Amino acid sequence: MPSVELKGVSKRFREVLAVDDLDVSVEDEEYLCVLGPTGSGKSTLLRIIAGLVRPDSGAVLIDGSNVNDVPTEKRNTALMPQNYALFPHMTTWDNVAYGPKSRGEDPKSVADRTRELLETVHLQDWGNAYPNQLSGGMQQRVALIRALASGAKTLLLDEPLGALDARLRLDLRGRLKKFAHEYCLTVIHVTHDQSEAVSLGDRVLLLRHGRAEQVGSPGDMYFAPRTVFAANFVGERAILEGLVRGTREGTAELELAGGERISARGGEFREGELVVIAIRCESLDIGDSSGRGANRLRGRVKDVRPIGAYFRYSVELPGEITIHPHVPSALAIDSPFAPGSEVEVSFDEGDVVLYAYPPRGLAVEVEAF
Amino acid sequence: MPKVEITGASKRFGDFDAVKDVSMIVEDGEYVSVIGPSGCGKTTLLKMIAGILRQDSGEIRFGGIRMDDIPIEERGVGYVFQDIALFPHMNLWENISFGPRAKGTPIERTRLVTLEMLEMMKLSGRYRDLPGNLGGGMQQKAAVARAIAPGHRLMLLDEPLSMLDARVRSELRFELRNIVKDLGLTAIHVTHDQEEAMAISDRIFVMRGGRLVEHGEPADLYFKPARLFTAYFLGESNIVPGRVEKNDGTETLLKVRHQTISASACGFELGSKVAVVVRPELIEVRASDDGNCVKGRVRSRTFEGPFMRYIIEVEDHFFLRVKAPVRAGVGRLRVGEEVGLRVRPENVRVYDFPAGGLNKEIGW
């Protein structure tokens, strides 16, 4: 039986349909990441499950029972909201210990648990501080462990790591997942960070305008996005327009804006059809002329930026197309291709994903701003 | 004009040294960023450059001219904040043209500048929109346009992207850099996001506890940091204690636990206690054992999209983090599997072991 289930849930705020006829099913002890841009309905979804927002239509089920009329405190869920909502008059320690204490747990075990949780988020020295004495990132960590300590079976986390610096965020990702597993929790974790979603989630739900754009395993989401919007939002990709020039045995021959031809798997498209081409930036290799990929395009390096684990190249192709190969640092560190160099960008047929041209145009689908 | 020179600047709040004896030069046309953990003094430094705060000692010069007694509105700087500071009741056109109008710029000139800004930010179609009708990324671009429109040549940016969605942020940083470069502006950008600093700047200044730790070009700072703190703070690192076992001028051998690791020649004496640093993405993992490498067992793996992250246990309680491109075929190592690890000697960095211990130097 699913732990949390939404059936045809909708919620409208004035003229905005925040959640639109959404069906979601979260298994017991599953870690579901909900991903989507600002305004896609992520927070509303959490608040509906928590019982803070009543849906206009549809049903919310927890452990199989309809909870539409069950108040927040009786749903056995703990919501960590984006603004933390810590008790301002309580110390860090008391905020964290509040839930277990009010359930009448043994003081010794409450103290042990609180201490352990504070250590988990590196706040063991801040137990006596009040929320207004903590930085935003510290408050966020307190809110997170308060939710963990609450004893609720289902955690609803709204951007729980958003205010932390990269280093701490990465550290806490691992700890959060481990903790959820150890305590057999069901977690619904809202984020706008696709890397957080694919690394933490057992499954990822991608929302757009209050609807499920795609639900699937992190691998499916990352390697096989089903729509142009999903392809653009999950992972970094070159997204180009192409004209189908011919198809043969499941392979399509495509012409790019500058006249070059590439081939891709996709026999379902017809000659003369305009399609959208998506290629993950890390599957674009750059080299002189010894590229291994089946597809090779000549271009000129405009810029190279080190990003850390990879270098981001900007390569201009004919037809005023710029693509951005991501080359692992281990390879790029002594690459000879400086800005101005002529290079060959190569990639395999299997790395190219094709989509039917969206009816409202490409710009609407890849509009990230 | 906007070469920025800061000499021995300090600022104290009560008995807290927010900025301590910082000297830096930012060349005309350069895009630099200042990074460091929260409370390191980076925002205070930016505010002193802007003239929002007055330094207790030291000098700040723009193009050789002392700015110390010149108020913010006469320093010719555009300031962009983390919170998007557009006038909510004005449309984009009115917001962007606000500065030139307030300065009494002739109408025709104001019109041209505003048009140019809108075009550059790819916002031409939205000039009649109120800020509230636009996404966060567009609003922040408009805020940048408004800061530049009065003709300011020096941009000061305080966490300008940190309120935005990850997706928008990663696109906007390149756009921001291109705009600053195309207009030939000078920019000083404060951020806590190490990746953003790498992507956007010509040089990075690392701060800690009010002081400048070091500065350099992104790739140099990332791959060859001079200071252990930089190796820790900029990007991700494996940092482990070790001892110099051999150093004959051509090769250095380091003992880390029971393992022997080869590093490029370095100046450490035989027997010195050192901190050994290796980037997770510069460790090569091989599924099979082909000798001459450190062996370990996969303890966990996490899919991160382009990379697979592994925790490898080399010995009891000695773990290394490894990031391997998913494409390279090593993306499918299983938990429990035995693997060989290899690092090129030049990718092993060696530092003095910090006097207060590793945790004090690189603790939270």
Side-chain angles (χ1 to χ4, degrees), chain B residues 15-76:
Chain B
D15 53 4
F16 174 66
D17 284 314
V19 170
K20 186 107 174 110
D21 194 21
V22 166
S23 296
M24 63 192 271
I25 293 178
V26 180
E27 298 295 340
D28 190 6
E30 209 180 6
Y31 200 128
V32 304
S33 50
V34 182
I35 64 167
S38 51
C40 72
K42 53 191 191 295
T43 296
T44 303
L45 177 66
L46 199 70
K47 285 181 173 164
M48 294 194 300
I49 299 170
I52 297 170
L53 287 175
R54 174 81 149 88
Q55 69 274 17
D56 298 334
S57 55
E59 283 179 11
I60 294 174
R61 290 169 190 270
F62 293 175
I65 301 162
R66 275 190 72 157
M67 287 291 132
D68 307 340
D69 296 317
I70 297 180
I72 176 166
E73 60 277 13
E74 288 167 28
R75 289 194 183 192

Side-chain angles (χ1 to χ4, degrees), chain A residues 37-38 122 166-168 170 192 198-199 222-223 232 282 285 305-309 311-312 329 333-334 368-369, chain B residues 135 165-168 171 174 177 194-195 198-199 201 222-223 232 235-236 281 302-303 305-306 309 327 344 364:
Chain A
T38 302
H122 312 286
R167 166 162 305 284
L168 196 51
L170 208 54
H192 58 70
V198 298
S199 65
Y222 192 79
F223 293 109
N232 183 57
E282 68 269 17
D285 275 332
R305 301 298 310 165
I307 310 291
F311 281 60
R312 178 185 188 263
S329 294
I333 204 167
D334 30 45
F369 293 23
Chain B
D165 272 12
R167 177 78 207 146
V168 178
E171 277 181 33
F174 297 109
R177 177 179 163 84
Q194 303 90 328
E195 212 179 88
M198 299 273 296
S201 18
Y222 187 85
F223 293 109
Y232 159 75
E236 224 194 320
E281 68 273 15
T302 312
F303 175 64
R309 171 184 302 278
R327 291 188 70 210
R344 285 159 62 178
W364 298 102

Side-chain angles (χ1 to χ4, degrees), chain B residues 121-239:
Chain B
M121 304 294 169
K122 299 185 196 118
L123 289 172
S124 305
R126 313 298 298 263
Y127 73 99
R128 294 165 79 169
D129 278 294
L130 292 176
N133 295 339
L134 303 171
M138 286 194 193
Q139 290 188 40
Q140 194 57 297
K141 283 206 288 184
V144 170
R146 196 183 62 172
I148 299 173
H152 295 149
R153 311 280 306 148
L154 175 61
M155 292 294 294
L156 302 176
L157 306 122
D158 188 4
E159 301 274 10
L161 306 178
S162 60
M163 297 295 276
L164 306 173
D165 272 12
R167 177 78 207 146
V168 178
R169 197 160 63 214
S170 67
E171 277 181 33
L172 208 52
R173 57 195 183 202
F174 297 109
E175 231 178 296
L176 198 52
R177 177 179 163 84
N178 289 341
I179 289 162
V180 166
K181 288 289 167 185
D182 287 349
L183 292 174
L185 309 178
T186 305
I188 305 177
H189 178 128
V190 160
T191 178
H192 70 280
D193 182 335
Q194 303 90 328
E195 212 179 88
E196 181 175 303
M198 299 273 296
I200 211 163
S201 18
D202 297 318
R203 281 190 304 152
I204 298 172
F205 290 81
V206 182
M207 282 186 77
R208 185 193 193 193
R211 292 178 182 274
L212 221 47
V213 175
E214 70 176 302
H215 61 88
E217 292 181 15
D220 287 343
L221 270 196
Y222 187 85
F223 293 109
K224 298 179 165 54
R227 303 283 298 272
L228 180 60
F229 180 76
T230 308
Y232 159 75
F233 190 75
L234 193 64
E236 224 194 320
S237 291
N238 291 290
I239 303 180

